[in-house]
Amino acid sequence: MTIDSDEPIHEDRLWSDGHWTARVIKNEDDDGWAVAMHLDGGSEPALVGPWTMGRDKKNPKPLDTNAFNTLVKTAREVIRRSEQQLHAQLNKNVNVTVGDKRLRIALAIVPDDEGATATLSALDEFDEELARVSVPPTFKLSIDSAQAWVASGFERPR
């Protein structure tokens, strides 16, 4: 869903600043209303939530500047949290101590439609990379697997 114009739109059920668009829609699950927030260029809404009924208890409350600004802030937060969750799923690290050295072992997975790839790396206390190897994206990073990798002299895990 995109609006072709960069001109602001301020209608009762459609509000756009050229970057974000709020559209009040009939809630298919009940007799109420919902609002869908779309980021320009996005095919799916970034946020869908319930919308307040108007005074007649049949029609939705009209959109206004304050409501739109609140919806934009909420939609941005939803996107930010989603990005943080994805980053956490794809990037893991553990700390291990070997002798008197503390190492950070990091696993970074790069998703791809053709097939994900993953890299395992060892960094010293100054974030200097000591080793890097490719691993299957299914590799499970744990303290035990990190210590075993360090003990092997950073050989590619099997």
Side-chain angles (χ1 to χ4, degrees), residues 98-154:
V98 179
D100 61 346
K101 293 184 181 179
R102 188 155 176 88
L103 304 178
R104 182 168 58 93
I105 309 301
L107 174 66
I109 301 171
V110 179
D112 188 313
D113 292 338
E114 303 291 319
T117 60
T119 305
L120 189 62
S121 56
L123 301 119
D124 67 13
E125 63 270 15
F126 304 109
D127 271 346
E128 294 290 326
E129 190 172 87
L130 304 175
R132 175 184 293 255
V133 296
S134 294
V135 294
T138 55
F139 182 81
K140 300 290 184 212
L141 179 61
S142 66
I143 290 176
D144 290 341
S145 66
Q147 288 174 329
W149 182 52
V150 173
S152 75
F154 304 114

Side-chain angles (χ1 to χ4, degrees), residues 61-125:
K61 178 181 163 189
L63 288 163
D64 61 28
T65 302
N66 288 337
F68 181 76
N69 290 339
T70 300
L71 288 165
V72 167
K73 181 179 177 183
T74 304
R76 282 185 179 142
E77 182 65 18
V78 167
I79 290 172
R80 187 181 69 76
R81 286 183 182 172
S82 177
E83 289 169 346
Q84 286 176 332
Q85 181 181 9
L86 180 60
H87 184 270
Q89 288 174 337
L90 299 176
N91 298 278
K92 308 247 184 230
N93 64 73
V94 297
N95 292 312
V96 296
T97 303
V98 179
D100 61 346
K101 293 184 181 179
R102 188 155 176 88
L103 304 178
R104 182 168 58 93
I105 309 301
L107 174 66
I109 301 171
V110 179
D112 188 313
D113 292 338
E114 303 291 319
T117 60
T119 305
L120 189 62
S121 56
L123 301 119
D124 67 13
E125 63 270 15

Side-chain angles (χ1 to χ4, degrees), residues 49-62:
W51 189 245
T52 307
M53 294 288 254
R55 291 183 184 195
D56 65 3
K57 302 297 181 202
K58 287 192 263 183
N59 293 306
K61 178 181 163 189

